Amino acid sequence: MPDRLSGLGVSPGAGAGPVRTIAGAVPEPPAGERHGGDAAAETARALAALEEVAADLEKRGDRAGGEARDVLAAQAMMARDPGLAELAGQKIADGGSAPRAVYEAFGVFRDMLAGAGDYMAARVADLDDIRDRTVAVLRGLPMPGVPDSDEPFVLVARDLAPADTALLDPAKVVAFVTEEGGPTSHTAILARSMGVPAVVACPGCTALAEGTVVLVDGGSGDVRPDPSAEEVARARAVAGARSAALAATGPGTTADGHAVPLLANVGGPQDVAAALEHGAEGVGLFRTEFLFLDRTTPPGEDEQEAAYRAVLEAFPYVAVRTLDAGADKPLGFLPATGEEPNPALGERGLRMLRRHPEVLAGQLAALARAARGLPVELLVMAPMVADAAEAREFTETCRTAGITRAGVMIEIPAAALRARDLAAEAAFFSIGTNDLAQYAFAADRQLGALSRLQDPWQPALLDLVALTAEGAGGKPCGVCGEAAGDPALACVLTGLGVTSLSMSPPALRAVRAALAAHTLDQCRHAATAARTAHNADEARQAAREALPGLTALGL
Amino acid sequence: MAERRVTVQTEAGLHARPAALFVQAATKAPMDVSVGRPDADPVNAKSILLVIGLDVRHGEEIVISAEGDGADAALDELVATVTANGA
């Protein structure tokens, strides 16, 4: 075993615990695979596997309690379904192996359910999960999905998909380590939102033996197997000092009183509580996709209004991003956009909304109604705006709907380069650093191999931010990408002229502490130092040297 | 052969929790139990997958049937799972 693995630290803090690995996908049993000849024994094997899966689901449900108990109990019933068992038995009688027969029997029910509406589509995913669990039992493979554990563990995976983490118990995970992924991958975002340390792009981590205790430093990116008690204690002491520094509350401001509103990124009404708890002064990015994805009919204006109102009534200031969908996130109720070889470069964001103006109009009308009578300052912004003409068109559409504060996301390098032109048409800017980096460096956000290019400290990205802030010409210019949640980078962005910072709520405290420890002049000096550097590492180092308060705070 | 013709009153129809309660009740019954729409082929009421596959919505009519000792009691219990509101 190597005595140290190294990756990219994407969520700071230290965590130590035994490794639990998420198993990869369960392979489909080959078509035509046959059993040895004893159909009765093979059928018994299939039934025993189904029962084992059902019992395991029930056990997990009982332990989880609440709503999860009902959900898992219903899944257990599916595993024990007599219709399914009968069908699998027939296929075994015809000579099929137990794994293949089970796989095909699930397939028959899958096809039956797949044709119907929303509720059924969710059941199809349940069925696939039960099928994979059963095949895994029959093959002696590890169970797919998030491992089950009574003690807190370090979750190790090649990469994590949202489906893997939906049932994750935040109290059980002390750290994440993945082989793939970059600073804006799902793992990184999830870890920061949970406030759990994470290291991504860490080669070799999936080879760590199950149960090996590792110490994970989500700041430096170090993963150390079998750490000494001293090392764990030291890492925890630093993490402790840091958390003590984060207890402060109040609005964001530099040491000399320059106000930098600290805002939250939220994905729906369910995130309001966390944003308030971490002291967000408002919402800098309200993602609205949750209302539109995974459904076959568009949400009505009443449903939208209620969801928007739940967020608008909780804060004095909310910037809503209109629907950001495209070929990579297709909407069930709109005609397919056709095959796009590069969905990130295709008809997504505002481009998709221009093709379906009724979706945008419905969203704006619902927003205007939701804000009526509330003391909130409502701002609405369009994703994927490329030039001034698109900004003007969006502003006019908003005005028609009765929304006066219409702004644009700056995610496309062309928009950053011509920020001055766009500022003439838009009331404010919000820089999405994740997409801006992806497009500036032609580097897919999801590819761990390209994470170096996704580094928000790249001087080229800082240049684009500076150009945008300057082009804003006094209009508000916020940052709502993951970069805003990095305490050192938050100071640099402030020094570049960014006027507000929006991030996942758990990052707010560290950013507040970092800003309060430095003057605006120090931030400007750090920004200049970073832009003078020739690569991301040098920029990070130069900025940190100009921001002495960070080390003292353990940030 | 005993049967009950009943309008499904649960908000979720014969899906989600009502479907689970219905199938649980059917599974407890010692005899075969079937369920379906009137004038359509019924399915095994002990199979959650076949039952939700019927895609019965709130307000639709279903026919539940069973045969043998205790069939009436079993059917009454099944009817209760789809007519009890708040389930």
Side-chain angles (χ1 to χ4, degrees), chain A residues 70 77-78 81-84 109 112-113 116 119-120 123 127, chain B residues 15-17 20 23-24 44 46-50 52-53 55:
Chain A
D70 287 349
M77 286 178 75
M78 291 182 188
D81 194 290
L84 182 78
F109 286 99
M112 177 184 83
L113 298 184
Y119 175 77
M120 301 293 222
R123 300 291 76 75
L127 268 190
Chain B
H15 284 300
R17 190 171 158 76
V23 173
Q24 269 164 10
N44 181 355
K46 300 183 185 199
S47 163
I48 183 84
L49 293 168
L50 292 172
I52 63 176
D55 197 13

Side-chain angles (χ1 to χ4, degrees), chain A residues 121-466:
Chain A
R123 300 291 76 75
V124 168
D126 290 351
L127 268 190
D128 289 349
D129 181 50
I130 303 164
R131 176 196 68 199
D132 289 348
R133 287 172 174 279
T134 312
V135 172
V137 169
L138 286 166
R139 290 273 196 238
L141 295 170
M143 277 288 178
V146 172
D148 212 21
S149 172
D150 290 329
E151 59 176 338
F153 57 94
V154 173
L155 186 61
V156 175
R158 201 179 62 76
D159 200 0
L160 291 172
D164 295 325
T165 54
L167 284 173
L168 202 58
D169 176 358
K172 286 284 171 60
V173 182
V174 293
F176 292 101
V177 182
T178 65
E179 205 151 303
E180 298 273 317
T184 61
S185 62
H186 174 73
T187 309
I189 292 170
L190 177 81
R192 283 193 292 265
S193 75
M194 286 168 57
V196 167
V199 173
V200 302
C202 180
C205 68
T206 50
L208 287 167
E210 203 73 359
T212 310
V213 172
V214 293
L215 172 61
V216 180
D217 184 330
S220 68
D222 278 355
V223 177
R224 183 181 277 285
D226 296 324
S228 68
E230 262 167 69
E231 282 173 305
V232 173
R234 191 160 359 112
R236 290 203 170 133
V238 171
R242 187 176 155 275
S243 64
L246 304 184
T249 54
T253 167
T254 59
D256 55 333
H258 172 71
V260 184
L262 299 180
L263 312 171
N265 294 348
V266 304
Q270 77 281 1
D271 296 339
V272 165
L276 289 171
E277 182 195 330
H278 291 94
E281 296 169 56
V283 171
L285 171 62
F286 179 7
R287 301 183 180 93
T288 53
E289 288 71 55
F290 74 101
L291 280 163
F292 296 88
L293 296 175
D294 299 324
R295 55 192 295 165
T296 51
T297 53
E301 279 182 30
D302 288 346
E303 179 187 347
Q304 290 193 53
E305 184 186 338
Y308 298 148
R309 183 172 272 268
V311 175
L312 294 180
E313 67 192 2
F315 299 95
Y317 173 105
V318 177
V320 182
R321 181 179 72 189
T322 56
L323 177 62
D324 187 6
D328 55 337
K329 292 180 269 183
L331 298 177
F333 53 89
L334 293 179
T337 40
E339 197 74 0
E340 287 186 351
N342 289 305
L345 303 180
E347 287 195 296
R348 53 168 287 210
L350 182 64
R351 302 163 177 190
M352 201 273 308
L353 292 170
R354 293 176 82 198
R355 186 187 269 279
H356 301 285
E358 72 287 354
V359 175
L360 178 58
Q363 210 178 2
L364 295 176
L367 278 165
R369 279 187 6 213
R372 205 165 290 157
L374 293 178
V376 67
E377 183 179 355
L378 169 66
L379 296 89
V380 179
M381 58 192 183
M384 289 294 285
V385 175
D387 63 11
E390 288 182 357
R392 182 185 319 131
E393 185 182 314
F394 181 72
T395 302
E396 279 165 11
T397 308
C398 285
R399 193 175 302 136
T400 308
I403 291 167
T404 51
R405 303 266 283 151
V408 297
M409 298 278 300
I410 303 289
E411 298 162 294
I412 302 179
L417 291 167
R418 303 295 299 190
R420 199 175 304 279
D421 295 346
L422 276 79
E425 309 293 347
F428 68 96
F429 289 161
S430 181
I431 306 174
T433 44
N434 306 347
D435 270 332
L436 189 55
Q438 153 161 289
Y439 295 126
F441 287 91
D444 192 313
R445 289 168 60 164
Q446 303 299 329
L447 287 182
L450 300 181
S451 65
R452 183 181 74 79
L453 298 173
Q454 269 291 321
D455 191 327
W457 284 96
Q458 287 280 2
L461 183 70
L462 301 178
D463 284 351
L464 288 170
V465 172

